[in-house]
Amino acid sequence: MSNINQWEAVIGLEIHVQLSTNSKLFSGASTNFGASPNTQACNVDLAMPGVLPVLNEEVLKMAIKLGIALNANINSPTIFARKNYFYPDSPKGYQISQMDKPIVEDGFLDIELEDGSVKRIGVTRAHLEEDAGKSLHEDFEGQSGIDLNRAGTPLIEIVSEPEISTPEEAVAYLKSIHSIIRYLNISDGNMAEGSMRCDANVSVRKVGETELGTRTETKNVNSFRFVEKAIHYEISRQINEIESGNTITQETRLYDSQKNTTRPMRSKEFANDYRYFPEPDLLPVILEEDFINSVKKLMPELPNEKKIRFTEFYKLSKYDSSLLAADKDLADFFEEVVQESNSPKISANWIMGEFLAEINKENLDINKSKVSSKQLGVLIRRIEDSTISGKIAKEVFEKMWESSKDADEIISNQGLKQVTDVSEIEKMVKKVIKNNPDQLKKYHSGKDRLFGFFVGQVMKESQGKANPAQVNQILKDKLKKEPIL
Amino acid sequence: MELNEFTLKEQLDGLRDSSFSSTELTQDYLKRIKAKDPSINSYITVTEELALKQAKKADDRYNKGQALALDGIPIAHKDIFCTEDVLTTCGSKMLSNFKAPYSSTVVSKLFDEGVVMLGKTNMDEFAMGSSNETSFFGEVKNPWNLDYVPGGSSGGSAACVSARLASAATATDTGGSIRQPAALCGLTGIKPTYGRVSRYGMIAFASSLDQGGVLTRTAEDAAILLASMSGHDPKDSTSLNIEVPNYTEEIGNNISGLKIGLPKEFFNQEIPDHVRKSTEEAIEVYKDLGAEIEEISFPNIDLSLPVYYVLAPAECSANLSRYDGVRYGYRCEEPKNLEDLYMRTRDEGFGPEVKRRILIGTYALSAGYYDAYYLKAQKCRRLIANDFTEAFKSVDVILSPTTPGTSFKAGEKINDPIDMYLQDIFTIPANLAGLPGISFPCGNHNGLPLGLQLVGNSLEEGKLLSAAHHFQTVTNWHKELPEF
Amino acid sequence: MSLSDKELKEIAYLARINIDENNFPALKGELDQILGLFEKLNLVNTDGIEAMSHPLDLSQPTRKDEVTEINQREKMQESAPLVQSGLFLVPKVIEGEN
């Protein structure tokens, strides 16, 4: 597309986060995942005649934490409203949501772009609302089956300002939100399971234009990757349409991950008149200063703060800090390892390397790691104090993972201690040199690359246990001094 | 004297001193219901087996000396209150087969005090009406004259108590649905302060206006029942967490010096002579009781009807969206698709008045009209509430006729919605402001009763009951019963 | 204030109530009458007046985050028009809000 540089995209994200409470937003039914249909839908969730909503206090705490993490205002009073529409998974025929005075308003999130720069994305609002039930379409001829277990589960909808400009920025923003909600322990943020859902509002305009183009809303993107692809596709589609002389229809579109396209959803236009009005069954929610402050005290260190602290205190690179700080469990693990090993850089490398490799291979939760942070810390110390070489340590780590035994036990049982005795190494070096006269001749005639061969032979002779640095030094020495036979 | 002729208080005394048993009392009512109800149609469901079971248990407790506060008193519940495992229809085809899976707080509380439930009373469909002519289960007739309406929406409850087919009946009031039937049937009816009685299990019409209350033969009876019905309910977020006074004690409070306000705008209206006359006579009674009369002004009172007819339909349009044929209730035959399911179920399941109000409400909330109608009405509501606040700075209670006339003939107003709505001009303001109101008999014209209304300040049910009670100690209107 | 046919059709759809074309004129007439009541509201100055959504001037109470409801599916589905395998059945839904 030769004209692509003339265009810019304007993107806003609406992220629905399922809050991990025990009971529902307005009823005492359980929110556990995977229950048999309609066994967790009480009379309130079923919208029986005469039922009334009662607010779950935990939800307020979670929303306040989120608001603080998003540098936003907490509105008091905050008001619930009815959003009216008919759909079988919405039993009351309206959803209790928030319109005016949402609980969180006017915040921002600083995201780090690929080039290392930081961009501030405004968060217009975050409001509470109840989730709908589920429709199942298979197994029933010509019918759909409605399961209302999920109906009434608390959601918080986070709406960004349309200040995102590229699919990559969108993903960075999304990942940031994901990281925060897991840090705050208010949601497990699992996009595949639907506890975090993302809708993308996309429009395009010529660079330099201040007016916004017509936007479309794309739904059904359930992974970071698909968010990027869907937005990318939608931007291209819109540019194509406009360049072909067509106008963009304001509509909702569904992303098809198989074809990597978006297509319009069918719905009557005026049917989207939600007729919001203040929920008469709920009173305005007053959030006292004391209450907000008590919640503030329970806040953990947030990902961004942690990232900065890792960079400054542990002197890690921005990249390493970013990776480690993104997940709270991983960050905690790292700090525990460092407490034991006293070597932040090496610990970071080991965690991002060997450790995560094993975790990812077995798809484990960090908390279910087969090697504890203390154990890993000790292993790293053994490298630092030259008990074992880095290479041997990798073997030891594998064995630790398999057997859950401590590093020291494995090292001594398998006799893996590093050889650091100079005379011993000299013996091995002499032996190797004696056994390889041709290579020696070639080395002396200028084939410097053969140095590596000799190193390899010495390591082999020592079963990998010789201290590589010392081997290098002694070899250099001995290779020079040996007279040509 | 038949047992059903006694007031609730007299029946309670009788049960306590073993003059008769609850089983006898209940059987008396059940027999009378079988004989008389077909001509007035005040009951939708009679729960004979349950009633006798409950009566027996009450008698057992009396025998053991472990009687509960209202033990053995047979009452009826308006069919708007969910009663577990018992048909709860709200007067509608939409719920004509609906057995509630849980009980409302009002019903539970009264059961906990030992009441016997005779059955569920007829009502205007979904509480929308002032004549009980919109019920799917047929019109209710006024026991005073079978050609006339009992009022609505609690017409069944009123007719039933007036005809002595229950000792008392629960009811609900959104724009006058307790007070107006009370006036038309010669009963005492009280709508408490908004939030005084729990709305949990009380099928919603207009959430910010609905209140549960009671229809009885005397203010004393009302005080007894209201005390048991009221109180905080954590299941209702709009329920007041304030102690319930001892109303039966409070009714004895002296009312000498009570300041009664007469809104000049009410009395400047065109009121029939007989209404004006009985109201003036009532005012004289109060003067004799030592009350002070003062003229007050309600500058915004003529906004009440438009405000009500924006807000109530708006809220009901959302409250009634749940009736869609999916999880309970009526479903149309062989729906072709989802749209068809909704559109036909709701067209066939709802009556014309309900549909009219849903449409008006939908319109008032729709894009482009929200500000002009809904929001405007909420602001005008504030003006009306402010008028009351201002009035209560100088008076204790506000007096007016309950209705603009006695009962009217069935069929007279049903085809003229506006004419019907005018029934509620005196009662609606109290609902808008969330204030308590009581109606009690103050006259009779051509064989039809007239009611007097008192509206009080927030949580002043005691004052209202006391004022009504004292009126009833020096007048006999409340003692008159239809020959039925 | 008068409703157009188009408006009536739209609100009937929003409210999901089928209206017979034959009933349109009568219904429109009735609704127009009621809408006529609203004229009075336009004549009032409400500048600076706060809307009143609740008669109570109180704050919303909250409840503890505890599971208090047990599974009562059978009881809750007793009055259901059409149920299979614990699910409420409706004519097939193709695409929708969520």
Side-chain angles (χ1 to χ4, degrees), chain B residues 84-85 97-99 101 194 208 237-238 240 302-303 305-307 309-310 325-329 331 335-339 341-344 346-347 350 355-356 358-360 362-363 369 372-373 375-383 385 416-418 421 432-434, chain C residues 1-3 7-8 10-20 27 30-35 37-56 58-61 69 72 75-82 88-93:
Chain B
E84 191 173 347
D85 297 332
N97 68 347
F98 178 68
K99 276 214 180 119
Y194 183 86
S208 76
S237 299
T238 59
L240 289 168
D302 64 347
L303 296 174
L305 210 66
V307 167
Y309 279 102
V310 169
V326 176
R327 300 163 314 289
Y328 50 81
R331 172 186 277 219
K336 293 197 263 328
N337 52 49
L338 189 63
E339 300 271 285
L341 173 69
Y342 288 148
M343 311 270 307
R344 270 198 300 131
R346 291 163 64 78
D347 178 31
F350 290 136
K355 285 191 277 198
R356 265 197 289 271
I358 293 175
L359 292 171
I360 290 287
T362 305
Y363 186 64
Y369 294 109
Y373 292 144
L375 191 57
K376 187 76 181 178
Q378 291 286 39
K379 291 186 177 184
C380 291
R381 181 181 185 175
R382 175 82 60 194
L383 291 178
D416 190 343
I418 304 289
Y421 297 165
L432 295 177
Chain C
M1 199 55 253
S2 190
L3 275 179
E7 281 178 315
L8 182 53
E10 278 178 16
I11 55 173
Y13 181 71
L14 282 177
R16 295 300 188 277
I17 300 179
N18 186 40
I19 306 180
D20 205 304
L27 185 55
E30 286 162 3
L31 296 178
D32 282 346
Q33 263 200 308
I34 302 171
L35 293 177
L37 278 178
F38 301 170
E39 294 298 305
K40 270 210 180 111
L41 298 177
N42 296 331
L43 306 172
V44 185
N45 185 341
T46 51
D47 290 343
I49 304 289
E50 209 187 306
M52 185 173 173
S53 302
H54 293 105
L56 305 172
L58 295 169
S59 171
Q60 171 68 24
E69 302 299 313
Q72 285 191 294
K75 188 170 184 132
M76 292 293 156
Q77 294 188 337
E78 242 177 70
S79 290
L82 197 56
F88 297 100
L89 293 189
V90 296
K92 200 167 187 80
V93 168

Side-chain angles (χ1 to χ4, degrees), chain A residues 46-47 49-50 53 82 91 273 281, chain B residues 102 199-201 237 319 327-328 367:
Chain A
L46 293 171
R82 291 188 182 177
D273 181 358
D281 289 331
Chain B
Y102 75 102
R199 290 186 301 117
Y200 179 73
S237 299
N319 282 331
R327 300 163 314 289
Y328 50 81

Side-chain angles (χ1 to χ4, degrees), chain A residues 179-463:
Chain A
S179 179
I180 288 173
I181 61 180
R182 286 177 60 89
Y183 255 79
L184 296 175
N185 206 18
I186 62 177
S187 173
D188 66 11
N190 188 325
M191 283 192 87
E193 280 180 10
S195 55
M196 186 167 94
R197 303 165 217 162
C198 181
D199 298 336
N201 290 309
V202 178
S203 68
V204 297
R205 63 184 175 194
K206 287 267 173 73
V207 174
E209 234 180 71
T210 48
E211 257 189 61
L212 291 170
T214 310
R215 65 176 162 86
T216 60
E217 183 184 12
T218 300
K219 288 178 172 298
N220 197 38
V221 267
N222 56 9
S223 77
F224 296 133
R225 207 171 118 251
F226 289 152
V227 168
E228 193 172 339
K229 292 174 92 148
I231 295 177
H232 206 271
Y233 173 83
E234 187 55 21
I235 292 171
S236 308
R237 184 192 75 83
Q238 289 193 14
I239 293 174
N240 265 341
E241 285 292 313
I242 299 176
E243 285 183 341
S244 308
N246 299 327
T247 50
I248 305 296
T249 318
Q250 181 168 349
E251 62 191 352
T252 305
R253 299 177 72 88
L254 287 179
Y255 177 66
D256 184 329
S257 56
Q258 300 258 5
K259 299 186 191 148
N260 191 30
T261 59
T262 64
R263 60 177 172 79
M265 236 174 84
R266 285 167 271 178
S267 63
K268 290 198 166 78
E269 223 177 84
F270 58 81
N272 285 333
D273 181 358
Y274 293 121
R275 293 159 277 132
Y276 284 96
F277 69 99
E279 170 59 77
D281 289 331
L282 294 169
L283 301 171
V285 184
I286 310 266
L287 299 166
E288 306 276 359
E289 278 293 320
D290 288 344
F291 183 64
I292 298 177
N293 287 335
S294 71
V295 173
K296 219 178 198 163
K297 288 208 185 92
L298 301 171
M299 297 274 292
E301 183 186 33
L302 291 171
N304 257 357
E305 296 163 9
K306 209 183 274 290
K307 195 170 77 178
I308 294 169
R309 183 166 66 80
F310 280 11
T311 323
E312 287 176 2
F313 187 71
Y314 294 116
K315 308 279 187 263
L316 297 180
S317 74
K318 265 205 210 162
Y319 177 81
D320 290 355
S321 297
S322 216
L323 205 140
L324 290 170
D327 183 305
K328 184 164 188 298
D329 290 337
L330 189 62
D332 289 345
F333 190 85
F334 164 71
E335 293 204 90
E336 287 162 22
V337 169
V338 171
Q339 246 194 341
E340 189 58 52
S341 72
N342 277 323
S343 307
K345 183 64 192 161
I346 314 258
S347 302
N349 288 342
W350 268 84
I351 289 172
M352 293 188 297
E354 277 74 25
F355 175 73
L356 276 182
E358 289 292 345
I359 289 280
N360 290 334
K361 194 161 48 173
E362 297 184 38
N363 214 2
L364 288 175
D365 249 359
I366 306 241
N367 300 321
K368 298 268 167 41
S369 167
K370 296 194 179 149
V371 170
S372 76
S373 51
K374 187 155 191 252
Q375 287 175 316
L376 181 55
V378 168
L379 178 65
I380 292 169
R381 241 190 311 125
R382 293 291 170 261
I383 305 174
E384 291 299 288
D385 65 22
S386 301
T387 308
I388 50 171
S389 70
K391 191 154 179 254
I392 295 287
K394 290 192 175 135
E395 276 180 49
V396 174
F397 180 73
E398 260 179 56
K399 296 215 162 60
M400 283 169 75
W401 191 271
E402 278 164 34
S403 65
S404 293
K405 289 209 171 107
D406 280 344
D408 288 337
E409 207 186 318
I410 295 172
I411 292 170
S412 80
N413 282 353
Q414 314 232 345
L416 296 171
K417 260 198 167 141
Q418 203 169 216
V419 176
T420 54
D421 186 275
V422 173
S423 51
E424 266 208 60
I425 298 180
E426 277 186 358
K427 247 195 249 165
M428 289 190 265
V429 167
K430 281 192 186 143
K431 184 169 173 201
V432 161
I433 291 178
K434 189 159 167 229
N435 290 342
N436 294 283
D438 289 333
Q439 280 81 353
L440 183 66
K441 221 179 187 168
K442 287 193 181 130
Y443 180 72
H444 281 154
S445 70
K447 295 245 174 350
D448 293 332
R449 273 187 292 123
L450 284 172
F451 186 80
F453 166 75
F454 283 107
V455 170
Q457 290 299 304
V458 174
M459 293 308 288
K460 210 161 136 198
E461 184 67 31
S462 73
Q463 289 169 307

Side-chain angles (χ1 to χ4, degrees), chain B residues 2 149 188 193 265 291 298 322 349 365 431 454 460-461 472:
Chain B
E2 285 181 43
V149 301
T188 300
T193 308
E265 290 83 4
F298 269 84
R322 65 193 60 199
L365 290 171
N431 299 85
L454 294 176
E460 304 241 288
E461 287 79 15
Q472 291 177 349

Side-chain angles (χ1 to χ4, degrees), chain B residues 401-436:
Chain B
T402 308
T403 55
T406 53
S407 178
F408 46 93
K409 276 204 174 137
E412 198 180 291
K413 297 184 196 285
I414 194 65
N415 292 318
D416 190 343
I418 304 289
D419 203 14
M420 188 68 85
Y421 297 165
L422 288 170
Q423 276 293 294
D424 297 329
I425 45 166
F426 296 123
T427 50
I428 278 174
N431 299 85
L432 295 177
L435 298 173

Side-chain angles (χ1 to χ4, degrees), chain B residues 72 82 109 160 373 400 415:
Chain B
C82 285
K109 278 172 98 84
C160 147
Y373 292 144
S400 74
N415 292 318

